[in-house]
Amino acid sequence: DTAVSQTPKYLVTQMGNDKSIKCEQNLGHDTMYWYKQDSKKFLKIMFSYNNKELIINETVPNRFSPKSPDKAHLNLHINSLELGDSAVYFCASSQMMSPGNTIYFGEGSWLTVV
Amino acid sequence: QKEVEQDPGPLSVPEGAIVSLNCTYSNSAFQYFMWYRQYSRKGPELLMYTYSSGNKEDGRFTAQVDKSSKYISLFIRDSQPSDSATYLCAMSLMDSSYKLIFGSGTRLLVRP
């Protein structure tokens, strides 16, 4: 039973389109994240939600809008997609107060903008 | 200068070798240090974490933190082909342990 699952795994779309990536965790964690991994494998945090409240919002264009309907779900909506948005997007979750904050990652969503 | 630096590799070793993977960092306030393993087309998975300085051992893996040098290491003994992956170091501050800063990863290839 997958702990952190995200869909779709692969997404190819044209510039200017709007797309969403969905994420669900069944670990009972309070905190969820979106990370972006670029072509150089550099993994960088985008957003973090704790109990449905936004606690981290890095310098991400406002075309990216996270939505957390409940603490087990964190979706990512992207408007007006650009070529530079092509990357792998990882959803993750953790128990916020756990030592070292063990983060569990999903398998990633490969987004290609053409 | 990036906050966390990691040699991208690839690092190619024969099966059974001892592997040493390293990261340097610039922020002396980092307190939590982690190593993640990422297989191709998969998400990162946590291998080990340490708090502050010192060593931690788990099976074939040993993590070391040298805060005075701002340098962390992961050693893999008796390396196996199944260890072939990208290894990412990550670290965080005490008061924002939920915000991890990652290195860009070192790709390891263990040859049979």
Side-chain angles (χ1 to χ4, degrees):
Chain A
D1 197 16
T2 306
V4 181
S5 59
Q6 51 184 113
T7 56
K9 189 171 176 78
Y10 299 102
L11 184 56
V12 181
T13 188
Q14 290 187 328
M15 275 196 306
N17 283 351
D18 303 338
K19 290 293 177 186
S20 292
I21 307 172
K22 295 185 176 181
C23 179
E24 176 182 5
Q25 55 95 2
N26 62 7
L27 296 167
H29 288 163
D30 293 330
T31 306
M32 295 186 73
Y33 312 80
W34 279 107
Y35 278 81
K36 179 180 179 180
Q37 189 170 44
D38 62 25
S39 57
K40 295 183 179 178
K41 296 288 188 181
F42 193 52
L43 195 62
K44 189 170 182 183
I45 192 167
M46 298 172 68
F47 301 103
S48 175
Y49 271 72
N50 177 251
N51 279 322
K52 303 192 296 174
E53 287 192 29
L54 182 66
I55 56 173
I56 295 177
N57 183 353
E58 292 296 292
T59 51
V60 177
N62 57 14
R63 299 182 295 104
F64 290 78
S65 53
K67 284 188 172 51
S68 182
D70 55 62
K71 72 176 191 177
H73 295 83
L74 180 62
N75 303 322
L76 183 65
H77 188 75
I78 315 170
N79 290 326
S80 303
L81 278 156
E82 300 177 357
L83 293 176
D85 297 332
S86 297
V88 186
Y89 292 86
F90 287 100
C91 178
S93 73
S94 70
Q95 273 300 112
M96 186 166 176
M97 300 306 291
S98 65
N101 195 43
T102 305
I103 292 184
Y104 296 85
F105 285 85
E107 297 216 329
S109 293
W110 270 254
L111 173 64
T112 302
V113 183
V114 297
Chain B
Q1 182 192 5
K2 289 192 173 67
E3 280 191 283
V4 180
E5 300 273 3
Q6 198 173 356
D7 187 330
L11 176 62
S12 181
V13 301
E15 183 175 354
I18 296 174
V19 175
S20 172
L21 303 165
N22 311 296
C23 284
T24 58
Y25 61 93
S26 57
N27 189 344
S28 58
F30 284 137
Q31 291 285 354
Y32 291 104
F33 303 91
M34 283 140 277
W35 285 96
Y36 281 80
R37 178 176 62 196
Q38 185 175 21
Y39 291 113
S40 180
R41 297 279 168 179
K42 297 289 186 182
E45 56 179 329
L46 181 67
L47 274 178
M48 299 187 70
Y49 85 86
T50 51
Y51 169 67
S52 194
S53 282
N55 294 357
K56 187 172 183 178
E57 189 173 321
D58 184 2
R60 296 185 296 112
F61 298 90
T62 300
Q64 285 186 355
V65 175
D66 181 350
K67 292 193 73 180
S68 61
S69 303
K70 296 182 204 166
Y71 189 88
I72 69 171
S73 301
L74 177 71
F75 297 95
I76 307 174
R77 291 183 297 282
D78 187 25
S79 56
Q80 303 294 310
S82 58
D83 296 328
S84 298
T86 297
Y87 290 79
L88 302 155
C89 64
M91 44 201 80
S92 64
L93 303 171
M94 171 71 86
D95 58 356
S96 57
S97 61
Y98 47 82
K99 184 178 173 181
L100 295 187
I101 309 298
F102 280 86
S104 56
T106 299
R107 188 168 155 234
L108 172 67
L109 175 62
V110 181
R111 308 185 305 270

